[in-house]
């Protein structure tokens, strides 16, 4: 594997009796990169994480994480990764501090790291609060704090902001981008295409167990921008959508010269509309 490749899946498939959950999955995750694995519920996102982390064995193909075969993972790998899944719980009768300090002992990290991590997720002022009395968003931050306490090389996040209020989701987004800047690699599964477009360096669109598109979010959207159009809001509050042409260019130039434009947007597709275009199916969550 290349020096900065931390995770690689090659032709991974998974079958359960007569049902195929994953079909020929190929992905690569580099150091300091956020990779989005996107698709509706049941598309195979969680199954993929379980294979990568050694909880499931693939039917065919090869997976490597930090240079180790995913079918032969030992405890040394778990010391280098962090996982936040939909069943990641907290010890509700313990305080916020106790929840983390217990894992600090397991990971052999100093207590000062507990304080650093609580500050990073915005829970330091709640360190003496019983975990069961935290709000849903605060509880999710505590789960995330536990996953990054030992500074893992790869962080796996399975729908980390599902059901959270917008302000909490934004705070978690900022933290993830900060972790990326520190060199952490993040494998993110989500059905939230807007979230993926904001955070991810590369995304894989997953549908019925198969990757139907892969690449940087902006490049994917531009790839499917076959019919170029522009949305213009004029000072008169009139809103028009114009297809690209010499006439459109002249009209926009005229409006700009006369300072008549309040807002001008290109109308390239979103990841969600690309998903619809590629699969013929809406992104039902």
């Amino acid at each position: 594997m290349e020096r900065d490749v931390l995770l690689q899946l090659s032709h991974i498939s998974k079958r359960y009796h007569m049902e195929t959950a994953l079909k020929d999955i190929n992905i690569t995750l580099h150091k300091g990169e956020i990779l989005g694995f996107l698709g509706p519920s049941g598309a195979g996102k969680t199954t993929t994480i379980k294979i990568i982390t050694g909880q499931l064995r693939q039917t065919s193909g090869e997976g490597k994480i930090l240079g180790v075969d995913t079918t032969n993972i030992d405890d040394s790998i778990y010391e280098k990764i962090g996982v936040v899944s939909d069943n990641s719980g907290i010890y509700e009768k313990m305080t916020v501090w106790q929840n983390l300090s217990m894992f600090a002992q397991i990971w052999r990290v100093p207590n000062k790291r507990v304080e650093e991590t609580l500050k990073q997720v915005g829970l330091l002022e709640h360190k003496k609060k019983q975990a069961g009395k935290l709000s849903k968003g605060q509880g999710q931050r505590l789960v995330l704090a536990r996953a990054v306490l030992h500074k893992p090389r790869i962080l796996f996040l399975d729908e980390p902001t599902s059901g959270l209020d917008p302000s909490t989701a934004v705070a978690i987004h900022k933290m993830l981008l900060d972790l990326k800047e520190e060199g952490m690699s993040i494998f993110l599964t989500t059905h939230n295409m807007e979230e993926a477009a904001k955070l991810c360096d590369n995304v894989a669109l997953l549908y019925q167990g198969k990757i139907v598109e892969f690449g940087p979010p902006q490049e994917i959207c531009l790839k499917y921008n076959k019919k170029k159009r522009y949305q213009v809001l004029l000072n008169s509050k009139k809103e028009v959508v114009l297809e690209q042409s010499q006439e459109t260019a002249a009209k926009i130039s005229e409006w700009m010269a006369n300072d008549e434009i309040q807002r001008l947007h290109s109308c390239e597709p979103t990841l969600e509309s690309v998903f619809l275009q590629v699969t013929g199916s809406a992104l039902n969550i």
Side-chain angles (χ1 to χ4, degrees):
M1 298 176 72
E2 298 174 32
R3 181 177 55 84
D4 64 341
V5 174
L6 304 190
L7 169 67
Q8 194 160 40
L9 300 184
S10 302
H11 306 292
I12 293 288
S13 295
K14 178 64 180 177
R15 289 189 293 276
Y16 297 100
H17 304 295
M18 300 298 292
E19 181 183 351
T20 301
L22 295 175
K23 308 170 188 175
D24 197 35
I25 299 297
N26 297 279
I27 55 173
T28 302
L29 176 65
H30 296 84
K31 177 180 170 61
E33 177 183 83
I34 300 180
L35 172 62
F37 215 54
L38 318 181
S41 298
K45 303 188 300 294
T46 302
T47 298
T48 303
I49 283 187
K50 287 183 175 180
I51 288 173
I52 294 169
T53 55
Q55 300 173 68
L56 277 179
R57 185 172 291 235
Q58 66 266 28
T59 305
S60 61
E62 182 183 42
K64 286 198 172 184
I65 178 170
L66 300 175
V68 176
D69 193 300
T70 55
T71 61
N72 192 33
I73 290 178
D74 59 22
D75 289 345
S76 65
I77 290 296
Y78 293 119
E79 293 177 359
K80 301 172 185 174
I81 67 174
V83 181
V84 175
S85 65
D86 57 1
N87 59 3
S88 294
I90 55 180
Y91 295 98
E92 295 188 351
K93 293 185 178 181
M94 299 172 67
T95 67
V96 168
W97 180 274
Q98 288 169 338
N99 264 269
L100 286 199
S101 62
M102 181 177 65
F103 280 89
Q105 293 178 41
I106 294 172
W107 298 124
R108 299 184 298 277
V109 299
N111 273 337
K112 68 175 184 178
R113 175 61 186 158
V114 175
E115 186 163 336
E116 289 173 1
T117 307
L118 286 176
K119 185 176 181 180
Q120 190 174 26
V121 300
L123 288 178
L124 186 58
E125 63 186 50
H126 301 288
K127 66 181 182 180
K128 295 182 179 180
K129 183 182 287 188
Q130 201 173 43
K133 295 181 179 179
L134 296 174
S135 69
K136 181 176 181 180
Q138 290 171 336
Q140 187 71 345
R141 291 191 202 187
L142 180 56
V143 170
L144 186 54
R146 190 175 67 197
V148 301
L149 182 64
H150 57 302
K151 295 186 177 181
R153 296 182 66 189
I154 307 177
L155 176 63
F156 293 92
L157 300 174
D158 196 2
E159 305 281 359
T161 59
S162 179
L164 298 184
D165 64 89
S167 62
T168 301
V170 168
I172 288 179
H173 291 169
K174 182 182 183 305
M175 181 181 174
L176 297 182
L177 291 172
D178 288 343
L179 291 170
K180 172 192 165 181
E181 287 300 311
E182 293 172 8
M184 190 177 296
S185 300
I186 299 173
F187 187 99
L188 170 72
T189 75
T190 182
H191 58 251
N192 187 330
M193 299 290 178
E194 184 179 352
E195 177 176 74
K198 289 179 180 177
L199 296 177
C200 298
D201 299 283
N202 286 298
V203 297
L205 301 187
L206 190 70
Y207 181 65
Q208 296 182 347
K210 186 177 181 180
I211 294 176
V212 294
E213 191 58 82
F214 181 89
Q218 186 176 16
E219 288 186 14
I220 290 176
C221 292
L222 291 176
K223 175 181 176 181
Y224 289 87
N225 191 24
K226 306 295 185 183
K227 194 174 183 180
K228 295 183 175 62
R229 297 179 302 158
Y230 302 90
Q231 184 183 60
V232 184
L233 177 65
L234 300 172
N235 291 338
S236 64
K237 305 304 180 184
K238 180 181 180 181
E239 191 169 300
V240 294
V241 177
L242 304 171
E243 293 188 13
Q244 183 167 296
S245 66
Q246 289 184 344
E247 290 78 10
T248 292
K251 177 58 71 176
I252 290 176
S253 294
E254 180 184 343
W255 283 332
M256 291 182 73
N258 295 326
D259 194 22
E260 294 184 55
I261 295 178
Q262 279 198 9
R263 186 180 67 222
L264 173 63
H265 288 304
S266 58
C267 298
E268 65 270 9
T270 63
L271 279 176
E272 188 158 359
S273 61
V274 168
F275 185 88
L276 175 61
Q277 186 174 339
V278 172
T279 66
S281 176
L283 186 63
N284 296 315
I285 62 174

